[in-house]
Amino acid sequence: MVEYTRKIQDIAKRLLSEKKVDAVIGYRQGSVPMMNEPILVREADKIDQLYWDSFCGVNLANYLPKRKERLAIVAKGCDSRNIVVHLQEGQIKRDQIHIIGVPCRGMVDRRKVRAKLEGQEPLRVVETGDQIVVEGKDFKETFKKADLLQDNCAICIHRNPVLYDELVGELVTEQSGVDRYEDVRAVEDMDPEARWKYFEELVRPCIRCYACRNACPLCYCPTCFVDESKPQWMGKSLDPTDVRTFHFMRAFHCAGRCTDCGACERACPVGIKVRQFTKKLEKDILELYHFEAGIIPEGRPPLDVYRPDDPEKFIK
Ligand code: SF4
Ligand code: SF4
Ligand code: SF4
C-alpha cells in the first residue's frame, strides 16, 4: 500500500501549502507492529509521518464532532459513512471537511495474526500485495491477507467511500453475495433461555473500560449515560446486570447509525465481540426500514422522517 501512502502525503502537502485546510487527520505507524494510530498534521514537517496499510482500522470520523477548523480527513468506506452520519446529525459541516477517500480492501485483524504465530513475538509486519509478512527474532512467516481480515471487513459490502473530494486510488469492486447476518440469525433462532445464556457469556469478561464506546464515532455525547450521576441511569459496577445494561443501551444508541466499521470490537482489550449487539439492530433497521446508515448523504435516518403510509396508528 506504498502507493496510497505516497498519494495521501501528496494530497496533504498540497492542501496544507495552499491553505485549503488547517490540518489533516490521517494515520501513522504505531510504536508496535499492527497498531497504526491517528495523527493530526498541521505542519509540513510532519507530513512524512502519514501512512497507510491494512492496519488502519481506527475510524477517523471519531475525531470530527464539534471541530471548528477546516480539516482534511482520510476515509475508508466505513469512515466515510460515519462522516455522513455526522453531517446528518449536525456534528460537522460539509464545507469544513475535505474527504480523502480510500477505496478499501479490508483491514487485517492483529489478533488473527497473533493466533497464527502461536506465541512468537512479531517485531516487524509488512504488507506486500495480498500477503502479510511477519518477522520476529528467529522467524519469518508469510500469510494470505484474505485469511486475516477483521470479521466485519470480510463481510463488508461498502468498501468504497460513499462521499469524497478526491480518491487515492481506483475504486474497488464491491463484494456481492455476502451473507452478512448468518451469526445474528443463529442467535435469533435460539430459545430465550439459550439466548440469555449466550449474551451472559458474551459479556462476562467485560471490565467496563469503555474502550468500545470511546473508539466509536457515534458516541460523542458530552456526558455519556454511563457517566451521568444526576440522574444515575445505571450502576457503575461490574455487577452482571450493570454490564448487560451498558451493552444493551449502547447498542440501542447506535441503532440506525452503526456502519459496522468494527472499531469498537477492535478496541476491546479482552476480545469481546461487541458487534453481536449492533449487528442485530443493523439487521432489524435494514429489514424494517430498508435503510443502511450513512449510505445516502442527502437522505435522512428512518426515525427522523414521517411517512403518510406509516403502519403505526399513533402517528396519524
Ligand atoms: S468495514 Fe469495509 S470499508 Fe471499513 S475497513 Fe472494513 S472493508 Fe474497509
Ligand atoms: S471495550 Fe470490551 S471490556 Fe471495555 S467496556 Fe467495551 S466490551 Fe467491555
Ligand atoms: S458501534 Fe462499533 S461498528 Fe458501529 S459505528 Fe460504532 S464503532 Fe463502528
Side-chain angles (χ1 to χ4, degrees):
M1 292 283 92
V2 179
E3 69 277 21
Y4 279 13
T5 298
R6 200 167 298 130
K7 195 78 195 286
I8 290 167
Q9 290 177 354
D10 289 348
I11 293 171
K13 194 170 179 183
R14 189 185 77 237
L15 293 172
L16 285 170
S17 66
E18 291 175 359
K19 301 203 183 309
K20 294 260 173 59
V21 298
D22 303 310
V24 179
I25 303 175
Y27 301 91
R28 71 175 168 197
Q29 279 186 294
S31 51
V32 292
M34 305 186 281
M35 292 295 284
N36 294 344
E37 57 194 24
I39 180 173
L40 187 132
V41 176
R42 291 184 191 280
E43 302 88 18
D45 63 349
K46 279 198 187 158
I47 288 172
D48 287 351
Q49 290 186 41
L50 286 164
Y51 184 75
W52 178 270
D53 67 12
S54 292
F55 295 97
C56 293
V58 174
N59 189 328
L60 296 182
N62 200 19
Y63 302 93
L64 287 181
K66 309 278 188 304
R67 287 234 172 228
K68 298 291 177 226
E69 69 266 60
R70 295 166 305 155
L71 294 162
I73 180 166
V74 175
K76 312 179 288 289
C78 51
D79 303 344
S80 76
R81 290 174 62 195
N82 279 104
I83 292 172
V84 168
V85 174
H86 282 331
L87 292 168
Q88 289 168 337
E89 296 181 357
Q91 292 305 305
I92 193 91
K93 293 193 175 68
R94 179 67 183 97
D95 58 9
Q96 238 185 300
I97 45 173
H98 185 99
I99 302 170
I100 306 170
V102 179
C104 180
R105 293 185 175 88
M107 294 293 113
V108 169
D109 186 338
R110 69 183 185 284
R111 292 189 177 103
K112 290 185 183 174
V113 177
R114 282 194 171 271
K116 293 255 185 209
L117 297 177
E118 296 175 341
Q120 299 178 102
E121 188 61 28
L123 299 176
R124 189 161 178 265
V125 180
V126 182
E127 184 178 358
T128 53
D130 293 337
Q131 296 187 322
I132 300 292
V133 183
V134 186
E135 288 177 51
K137 195 158 167 263
D138 301 312
F139 72 93
K140 179 174 178 175
E141 294 207 42
T142 302
F143 304 108
K144 270 168 68 181
K145 180 183 154 182
D147 296 336
L148 300 168
L149 289 182
Q150 291 182 183
D151 291 348
N152 63 312
C153 295
I155 56 165
C156 174
I157 51 172
H158 299 294
R159 290 179 166 183
N160 290 308
V162 294
L163 186 67
Y164 54 85
D165 294 289
E166 56 189 305
L167 289 171
V168 300
E170 296 287 315
L171 292 175
V172 295
T173 306
E174 296 287 6
Q175 301 194 102
S176 58
V178 178
D179 182 359
R180 287 187 48 77
Y181 302 113
E182 192 183 359
D183 52 350
V184 179
R185 282 198 307 275
V187 178
E188 286 172 341
D189 289 344
M190 293 175 187
D191 62 51
E193 205 175 311
R195 202 180 306 147
W196 178 266
K197 185 100 184 118
Y198 173 80
F199 282 110
E200 205 172 46
E201 288 305 316
L202 183 70
V203 299
R204 194 184 293 284
C206 179
I207 53 173
R208 286 188 72 180
C209 65
Y210 301 144
C212 50
R213 175 200 67 180
N214 295 352
C216 177
L218 304 174
C219 294
Y220 55 71
C221 294
T223 307
C224 176
F225 70 93
V226 297
D227 298 323
E228 187 70 75
S229 40
K230 279 188 182 173
Q232 184 169 326
W233 300 110
M234 56 178 291
K236 297 179 188 300
S237 73
L238 283 182
D239 178 273
T241 304
D242 289 341
V243 174
R244 284 194 293 264
T245 307
F246 161 61
H247 283 285
F248 285 119
M249 283 183 70
R250 192 185 92 79
F252 274 101
H253 284 194
C254 300
R257 306 165 67 222
C258 174
T259 62
D260 201 32
C261 73
C264 47
E265 204 160 279
R266 183 181 176 280
C268 179
V270 292
I272 296 175
K273 295 198 173 294
V274 284
R275 289 171 46 253
Q276 287 295 290
F277 295 99
T278 47
K279 268 187 81 187
K280 162 64 177 158
L281 294 168
E282 187 195 333
K283 176 175 176 283
D284 286 352
I285 294 281
L286 184 63
E287 289 173 356
L288 292 168
Y289 301 100
H290 312 291
F291 181 83
E292 289 177 282
I295 295 291
I296 305 172
E298 55 284 352
R300 296 298 312 169
L303 300 181
D304 196 26
V305 289
Y306 167 71
R307 274 176 32 199
D309 62 340
D310 194 298
E312 293 292 344
K313 286 196 177 64
F314 75 89
I315 207 98
K316 297 182 177 153

